[in-house]
Amino acid sequence: MSAIPGEIGAGVTFRATVSLPVYPAPEWSVDLILRGPGQIDLASTADGDNHAFHAAAAATKDWPPGHYRYELRASDGVDVVTVETGETRIAPDLAAIDQSHDGRDHVRKVLDAVEAVIENRATIDQQSYQINNRSLQRTPLAELMTLRAKYRAELSQKKRARSGRGLGPKYKVSF
């Protein structure tokens, strides 16, 4: 299980505690390195044997949203060891976004677009036509239905993942 959540909100306080029995605090320090649309580096503080990360909302509000690779590095002043790598997403600060923002993810946008084409197709009976030297061919309805099924399944999988269903055993983690 990852020590870093899959999504971190910009504009809100970030806290995470990492327990690394092989690299206990205070003998070891741990840094969180995030690289993506921005460059974010956080140093942990000792919390008993654990490593605590904290970034105030005033700092996270400036974190550029997007997908990031991260690395947790432990150091004892001489050796530096990578203890975990992964990916996370910095979600935009909703309080700083205007009303024109489209918050849908890629899967939802594509599914909505495919369904709109299918809905509009219900009133059009020709699949292709030609006027003078110009022609138009529409995507066959069967292909649109296949795309819709694919993106519906992907959206359903994302919803299950967010709710924690269908992913095997559950673990309670607090940040």
Side-chain angles (χ1 to χ4, degrees):
M1 174 139 226
S2 174
I4 305 303
E7 185 171 280
I8 299 169
V12 296
T13 301
F14 171 72
R15 290 183 193 276
T17 300
V18 179
S19 177
L20 300 169
V22 177
Y23 307 104
E27 294 85 21
W28 290 81
S29 63
V30 175
D31 293 322
L32 171 61
I33 301 164
L34 293 147
R35 294 297 183 269
Q39 178 177 327
I40 302 166
D41 298 318
L42 291 177
S44 66
T45 57
D47 181 12
D49 287 343
N50 297 323
H51 305 276
F53 291 98
H54 175 257
T60 68
K61 74 178 180 56
D62 296 326
W63 290 0
H67 292 279
Y68 287 76
R69 292 276 312 152
Y70 74 82
E71 192 170 279
L72 286 174
R73 288 185 182 175
S75 173
D76 66 357
V78 176
D79 292 324
V80 177
V81 181
T82 298
V83 294
E84 183 178 321
T85 62
E87 294 184 12
T88 190
R89 177 178 173 267
I90 305 282
D93 180 0
L94 289 180
I97 295 175
D98 67 17
Q99 66 186 13
S100 66
H101 174 70
D102 185 351
R104 299 174 298 164
D105 67 3
H106 169 75
V107 173
R108 173 48 76 184
K109 287 177 184 177
V110 172
L111 179 58
D112 289 349
V114 167
E115 288 182 335
V117 170
I118 291 170
E119 186 175 318
N120 289 336
R121 185 68 58 83
T123 61
I124 300 171
D125 58 353
Q126 69 270 29
Q127 184 166 322
S128 65
Y129 62 89
Q130 182 170 344
I131 300 174
N132 294 329
N133 290 332
R134 294 185 179 193
S135 65
L136 172 71
Q137 259 194 314
R138 292 185 172 86
T139 304
L141 192 56
E143 285 183 35
L144 290 171
M145 300 301 271
T146 300
L147 271 175
R148 180 173 71 173
K150 175 187 180 239
Y151 278 94
R152 277 184 173 174
E154 196 171 329
L155 184 63
S156 178
Q157 181 181 8
K158 284 183 159 219
K159 285 180 179 178
R160 278 194 312 277
R162 277 195 298 264
S163 71
R165 292 179 293 154
L167 298 175
K170 292 183 182 179
Y171 300 96
K172 290 194 176 194
V173 178
S174 62
F175 296 100

PDB file of all heavy atoms in Angstrom, residues 20 22-31 44 51 72-83:
ATOM      1  N   LEU A  20       8.469   3.589   8.199  1.00  0.00           N
ATOM      2  CA  LEU A  20       9.512   2.810   7.527  1.00  0.00           C
ATOM      3  C   LEU A  20      10.395   2.170   8.600  1.00  0.00           C
ATOM      4  O   LEU A  20      11.413   2.746   8.997  1.00  0.00           O
ATOM      5  CB  LEU A  20      10.348   3.710   6.614  1.00  0.00           C
ATOM      6  CG  LEU A  20       9.605   4.438   5.494  1.00  0.00           C
ATOM      7  CD1 LEU A  20      10.491   5.485   4.839  1.00  0.00           C
ATOM      8  CD2 LEU A  20       9.104   3.433   4.469  1.00  0.00           C
ATOM      9  N   VAL A  22      12.600  -0.010   8.580  1.00  0.00           N
ATOM     10  CA  VAL A  22      14.004  -0.191   8.203  1.00  0.00           C
ATOM     11  C   VAL A  22      14.754   1.143   8.234  1.00  0.00           C
ATOM     12  O   VAL A  22      15.974   1.170   8.410  1.00  0.00           O
ATOM     13  CB  VAL A  22      14.094  -0.842   6.796  1.00  0.00           C
ATOM     14  CG1 VAL A  22      15.527  -0.985   6.336  1.00  0.00           C
ATOM     15  CG2 VAL A  22      13.392  -2.195   6.792  1.00  0.00           C
ATOM     16  N   TYR A  23      14.014   2.250   8.076  1.00  0.00           N
ATOM     17  CA  TYR A  23      14.608   3.591   8.058  1.00  0.00           C
ATOM     18  C   TYR A  23      13.894   4.473   9.079  1.00  0.00           C
ATOM     19  O   TYR A  23      13.217   5.433   8.723  1.00  0.00           O
ATOM     20  CB  TYR A  23      14.499   4.205   6.656  1.00  0.00           C
ATOM     21  CG  TYR A  23      15.056   3.312   5.569  1.00  0.00           C
ATOM     22  CD1 TYR A  23      14.207   2.594   4.733  1.00  0.00           C
ATOM     23  CD2 TYR A  23      16.432   3.190   5.397  1.00  0.00           C
ATOM     24  CE1 TYR A  23      14.723   1.770   3.741  1.00  0.00           C
ATOM     25  CE2 TYR A  23      16.950   2.373   4.405  1.00  0.00           C
ATOM     26  CZ  TYR A  23      16.092   1.651   3.588  1.00  0.00           C
ATOM     27  OH  TYR A  23      16.600   0.839   2.614  1.00  0.00           O
ATOM     28  N   PRO A  24      14.033   4.179  10.371  1.00  0.00           N
ATOM     29  CA  PRO A  24      13.262   4.918  11.382  1.00  0.00           C
ATOM     30  C   PRO A  24      13.796   6.330  11.615  1.00  0.00           C
ATOM     31  O   PRO A  24      14.992   6.591  11.479  1.00  0.00           O
ATOM     32  CB  PRO A  24      13.452   4.067  12.641  1.00  0.00           C
ATOM     33  CG  PRO A  24      14.807   3.430  12.454  1.00  0.00           C
ATOM     34  CD  PRO A  24      14.915   3.176  10.966  1.00  0.00           C
ATOM     35  N   ALA A  25      12.857   7.212  11.937  1.00  0.00           N
ATOM     36  CA  ALA A  25      13.238   8.557  12.374  1.00  0.00           C
ATOM     37  C   ALA A  25      13.702   8.409  13.822  1.00  0.00           C
ATOM     38  O   ALA A  25      13.264   7.499  14.523  1.00  0.00           O
ATOM     39  CB  ALA A  25      12.040   9.490  12.269  1.00  0.00           C
ATOM     40  N   PRO A  26      14.524   9.240  14.302  1.00  0.00           N
ATOM     41  CA  PRO A  26      15.196  10.376  13.674  1.00  0.00           C
ATOM     42  C   PRO A  26      16.538  10.020  13.023  1.00  0.00           C
ATOM     43  O   PRO A  26      17.179  10.895  12.465  1.00  0.00           O
ATOM     44  CB  PRO A  26      15.401  11.338  14.836  1.00  0.00           C
ATOM     45  CG  PRO A  26      15.583  10.452  16.027  1.00  0.00           C
ATOM     46  CD  PRO A  26      14.715   9.247  15.757  1.00  0.00           C
ATOM     47  N   GLU A  27      16.951   8.718  13.072  1.00  0.00           N
ATOM     48  CA  GLU A  27      18.227   8.345  12.443  1.00  0.00           C
ATOM     49  C   GLU A  27      18.198   8.592  10.935  1.00  0.00           C
ATOM     50  O   GLU A  27      19.218   8.907  10.336  1.00  0.00           O
ATOM     51  CB  GLU A  27      18.565   6.862  12.692  1.00  0.00           C
ATOM     52  CG  GLU A  27      18.851   6.520  14.147  1.00  0.00           C
ATOM     53  CD  GLU A  27      17.575   6.225  14.916  1.00  0.00           C
ATOM     54  OE1 GLU A  27      16.533   5.887  14.298  1.00  0.00           O
ATOM     55  OE2 GLU A  27      17.596   6.353  16.147  1.00  0.00           O
ATOM     56  N   TRP A  28      17.019   8.436  10.348  1.00  0.00           N
ATOM     57  CA  TRP A  28      16.837   8.640   8.924  1.00  0.00           C
ATOM     58  C   TRP A  28      15.848   9.767   8.703  1.00  0.00           C
ATOM     59  O   TRP A  28      14.882   9.905   9.456  1.00  0.00           O
ATOM     60  CB  TRP A  28      16.298   7.375   8.252  1.00  0.00           C
ATOM     61  CG  TRP A  28      17.284   6.248   8.186  1.00  0.00           C
ATOM     62  CD1 TRP A  28      17.600   5.375   9.187  1.00  0.00           C
ATOM     63  CD2 TRP A  28      18.074   5.882   7.068  1.00  0.00           C
ATOM     64  NE1 TRP A  28      18.538   4.481   8.765  1.00  0.00           N
ATOM     65  CE2 TRP A  28      18.847   4.766   7.451  1.00  0.00           C
ATOM     66  CE3 TRP A  28      18.208   6.376   5.778  1.00  0.00           C
ATOM     67  CZ2 TRP A  28      19.743   4.148   6.590  1.00  0.00           C
ATOM     68  CZ3 TRP A  28      19.097   5.746   4.914  1.00  0.00           C
ATOM     69  CH2 TRP A  28      19.862   4.649   5.323  1.00  0.00           C
ATOM     70  N   SER A  29      16.063  10.563   7.675  1.00  0.00           N
ATOM     71  CA  SER A  29      15.078  11.553   7.247  1.00  0.00           C
ATOM     72  C   SER A  29      14.527  11.083   5.908  1.00  0.00           C
ATOM     73  O   SER A  29      15.193  10.340   5.189  1.00  0.00           O
ATOM     74  CB  SER A  29      15.704  12.941   7.121  1.00  0.00           C
ATOM     75  OG  SER A  29      16.692  12.935   6.116  1.00  0.00           O
ATOM     76  N   VAL A  30      13.322  11.514   5.594  1.00  0.00           N
ATOM     77  CA  VAL A  30      12.696  11.114   4.333  1.00  0.00           C
ATOM     78  C   VAL A  30      12.229  12.366   3.601  1.00  0.00           C
ATOM     79  O   VAL A  30      11.640  13.266   4.206  1.00  0.00           O
ATOM     80  CB  VAL A  30      11.518  10.139   4.572  1.00  0.00           C
ATOM     81  CG1 VAL A  30      10.803   9.825   3.268  1.00  0.00           C
ATOM     82  CG2 VAL A  30      12.015   8.853   5.221  1.00  0.00           C
ATOM     83  N   ASP A  31      12.488  12.407   2.309  1.00  0.00           N
ATOM     84  CA  ASP A  31      12.036  13.502   1.448  1.00  0.00           C
ATOM     85  C   ASP A  31      11.031  12.962   0.449  1.00  0.00           C
ATOM     86  O   ASP A  31      11.185  11.847  -0.060  1.00  0.00           O
ATOM     87  CB  ASP A  31      13.205  14.133   0.683  1.00  0.00           C
ATOM     88  CG  ASP A  31      14.169  14.863   1.597  1.00  0.00           C
ATOM     89  OD1 ASP A  31      13.702  15.497   2.561  1.00  0.00           O
ATOM     90  OD2 ASP A  31      15.388  14.795   1.349  1.00  0.00           O
ATOM     91  N   SER A  44      10.382  15.524   5.500  1.00  0.00           N
ATOM     92  CA  SER A  44       9.580  15.028   6.622  1.00  0.00           C
ATOM     93  C   SER A  44      10.159  15.533   7.936  1.00  0.00           C
ATOM     94  O   SER A  44      11.309  15.962   8.016  1.00  0.00           O
ATOM     95  CB  SER A  44       9.559  13.500   6.616  1.00  0.00           C
ATOM     96  OG  SER A  44      10.856  12.991   6.885  1.00  0.00           O
ATOM     97  N   HIS A  51       7.818   9.185   9.889  1.00  0.00           N
ATOM     98  CA  HIS A  51       8.180  10.397   9.161  1.00  0.00           C
ATOM     99  C   HIS A  51       6.883  11.107   8.778  1.00  0.00           C
ATOM    100  O   HIS A  51       6.027  10.532   8.104  1.00  0.00           O
ATOM    101  CB  HIS A  51       8.976  10.046   7.901  1.00  0.00           C
ATOM    102  CG  HIS A  51      10.177   9.205   8.198  1.00  0.00           C
ATOM    103  ND1 HIS A  51      11.385   9.740   8.590  1.00  0.00           N
ATOM    104  CD2 HIS A  51      10.355   7.859   8.190  1.00  0.00           C
ATOM    105  CE1 HIS A  51      12.249   8.769   8.786  1.00  0.00           C
ATOM    106  NE2 HIS A  51      11.654   7.609   8.553  1.00  0.00           N
ATOM    107  N   LEU A  72       9.973   8.687  -2.710  1.00  0.00           N
ATOM    108  CA  LEU A  72      10.316   8.874  -1.302  1.00  0.00           C
ATOM    109  C   LEU A  72      11.764   8.426  -1.148  1.00  0.00           C
ATOM    110  O   LEU A  72      12.105   7.289  -1.498  1.00  0.00           O
ATOM    111  CB  LEU A  72       9.421   8.028  -0.394  1.00  0.00           C
ATOM    112  CG  LEU A  72       7.989   8.487  -0.210  1.00  0.00           C
ATOM    113  CD1 LEU A  72       7.202   7.452   0.593  1.00  0.00           C
ATOM    114  CD2 LEU A  72       7.933   9.832   0.490  1.00  0.00           C
ATOM    115  N   ARG A  73      12.594   9.324  -0.639  1.00  0.00           N
ATOM    116  CA  ARG A  73      14.007   9.010  -0.448  1.00  0.00           C
ATOM    117  C   ARG A  73      14.364   9.142   1.023  1.00  0.00           C
ATOM    118  O   ARG A  73      14.108  10.171   1.641  1.00  0.00           O
ATOM    119  CB  ARG A  73      14.886   9.975  -1.239  1.00  0.00           C
ATOM    120  CG  ARG A  73      14.848   9.757  -2.722  1.00  0.00           C
ATOM    121  CD  ARG A  73      15.833  10.663  -3.411  1.00  0.00           C
ATOM    122  NE  ARG A  73      15.774  10.491  -4.851  1.00  0.00           N
ATOM    123  CZ  ARG A  73      16.458  11.234  -5.701  1.00  0.00           C
ATOM    124  NH1 ARG A  73      17.244  12.199  -5.247  1.00  0.00           N
ATOM    125  NH2 ARG A  73      16.353  11.017  -6.998  1.00  0.00           N
ATOM    126  N   ALA A  74      14.982   8.095   1.560  1.00  0.00           N
ATOM    127  CA  ALA A  74      15.456   8.100   2.938  1.00  0.00           C
ATOM    128  C   ALA A  74      16.957   8.390   2.940  1.00  0.00           C
ATOM    129  O   ALA A  74      17.688   7.921   2.066  1.00  0.00           O
ATOM    130  CB  ALA A  74      15.177   6.752   3.600  1.00  0.00           C
ATOM    131  N   SER A  75      17.384   9.164   3.938  1.00  0.00           N
ATOM    132  CA  SER A  75      18.801   9.509   4.042  1.00  0.00           C
ATOM    133  C   SER A  75      19.221   9.502   5.502  1.00  0.00           C
ATOM    134  O   SER A  75      18.484   9.975   6.376  1.00  0.00           O
ATOM    135  CB  SER A  75      19.062  10.894   3.441  1.00  0.00           C
ATOM    136  OG  SER A  75      20.397  11.289   3.686  1.00  0.00           O
ATOM    137  N   ASP A  76      20.421   8.956   5.754  1.00  0.00           N
ATOM    138  CA  ASP A  76      20.980   9.008   7.110  1.00  0.00           C
ATOM    139  C   ASP A  76      22.144   9.986   7.172  1.00  0.00           C
ATOM    140  O   ASP A  76      22.924   9.990   8.111  1.00  0.00           O
ATOM    141  CB  ASP A  76      21.410   7.615   7.574  1.00  0.00           C
ATOM    142  CG  ASP A  76      22.575   7.035   6.770  1.00  0.00           C
ATOM    143  OD1 ASP A  76      23.038   7.686   5.803  1.00  0.00           O
ATOM    144  OD2 ASP A  76      23.020   5.919   7.107  1.00  0.00           O
ATOM    145  N   GLY A  77      22.274  10.837   6.174  1.00  0.00           N
ATOM    146  CA  GLY A  77      23.367  11.805   6.111  1.00  0.00           C
ATOM    147  C   GLY A  77      24.521  11.321   5.252  1.00  0.00           C
ATOM    148  O   GLY A  77      25.330  12.113   4.783  1.00  0.00           O
ATOM    149  N   VAL A  78      24.588  10.007   5.027  1.00  0.00           N
ATOM    150  CA  VAL A  78      25.628   9.431   4.179  1.00  0.00           C
ATOM    151  C   VAL A  78      24.982   8.705   3.000  1.00  0.00           C
ATOM    152  O   VAL A  78      25.246   9.014   1.850  1.00  0.00           O
ATOM    153  CB  VAL A  78      26.524   8.445   4.975  1.00  0.00           C
ATOM    154  CG1 VAL A  78      27.540   7.777   4.063  1.00  0.00           C
ATOM    155  CG2 VAL A  78      27.218   9.154   6.120  1.00  0.00           C
ATOM    156  N   ASP A  79      24.125   7.756   3.319  1.00  0.00           N
ATOM    157  CA  ASP A  79      23.440   6.978   2.289  1.00  0.00           C
ATOM    158  C   ASP A  79      22.097   7.615   1.948  1.00  0.00           C
ATOM    159  O   ASP A  79      21.400   8.147   2.826  1.00  0.00           O
ATOM    160  CB  ASP A  79      23.189   5.544   2.761  1.00  0.00           C
ATOM    161  CG  ASP A  79      24.474   4.750   2.901  1.00  0.00           C
ATOM    162  OD1 ASP A  79      25.389   4.958   2.081  1.00  0.00           O
ATOM    163  OD2 ASP A  79      24.560   3.929   3.838  1.00  0.00           O
ATOM    164  N   VAL A  80      21.723   7.527   0.679  1.00  0.00           N
ATOM    165  CA  VAL A  80      20.412   7.961   0.196  1.00  0.00           C
ATOM    166  C   VAL A  80      19.791   6.758  -0.503  1.00  0.00           C
ATOM    167  O   VAL A  80      20.411   6.172  -1.400  1.00  0.00           O
ATOM    168  CB  VAL A  80      20.504   9.164  -0.769  1.00  0.00           C
ATOM    169  CG1 VAL A  80      19.125   9.537  -1.301  1.00  0.00           C
ATOM    170  CG2 VAL A  80      21.158  10.346  -0.078  1.00  0.00           C
ATOM    171  N   VAL A  81      18.569   6.391  -0.074  1.00  0.00           N
ATOM    172  CA  VAL A  81      17.911   5.192  -0.585  1.00  0.00           C
ATOM    173  C   VAL A  81      16.511   5.553  -1.055  1.00  0.00           C
ATOM    174  O   VAL A  81      15.772   6.254  -0.343  1.00  0.00           O
ATOM    175  CB  VAL A  81      17.814   4.123   0.534  1.00  0.00           C
ATOM    176  CG1 VAL A  81      17.149   2.862   0.019  1.00  0.00           C
ATOM    177  CG2 VAL A  81      19.179   3.820   1.121  1.00  0.00           C
ATOM    178  N   THR A  82      16.149   5.092  -2.248  1.00  0.00           N
ATOM    179  CA  THR A  82      14.772   5.252  -2.714  1.00  0.00           C
ATOM    180  C   THR A  82      13.939   4.159  -2.053  1.00  0.00           C
ATOM    181  O   THR A  82      14.237   2.971  -2.223  1.00  0.00           O
ATOM    182  CB  THR A  82      14.690   5.130  -4.245  1.00  0.00           C
ATOM    183  OG1 THR A  82      15.466   6.177  -4.829  1.00  0.00           O
ATOM    184  CG2 THR A  82      13.252   5.236  -4.737  1.00  0.00           C
ATOM    185  N   VAL A  83      12.905   4.559  -1.310  1.00  0.00           N
ATOM    186  CA  VAL A  83      12.077   3.570  -0.610  1.00  0.00           C
ATOM    187  C   VAL A  83      10.719   3.356  -1.264  1.00  0.00           C
ATOM    188  O   VAL A  83      10.065   2.345  -1.011  1.00  0.00           O
ATOM    189  CB  VAL A  83      11.898   3.936   0.886  1.00  0.00           C
ATOM    190  CG1 VAL A  83      13.222   3.844   1.606  1.00  0.00           C
ATOM    191  CG2 VAL A  83      11.282   5.297   1.064  1.00  0.00           C
TER     192      VAL A  83
END
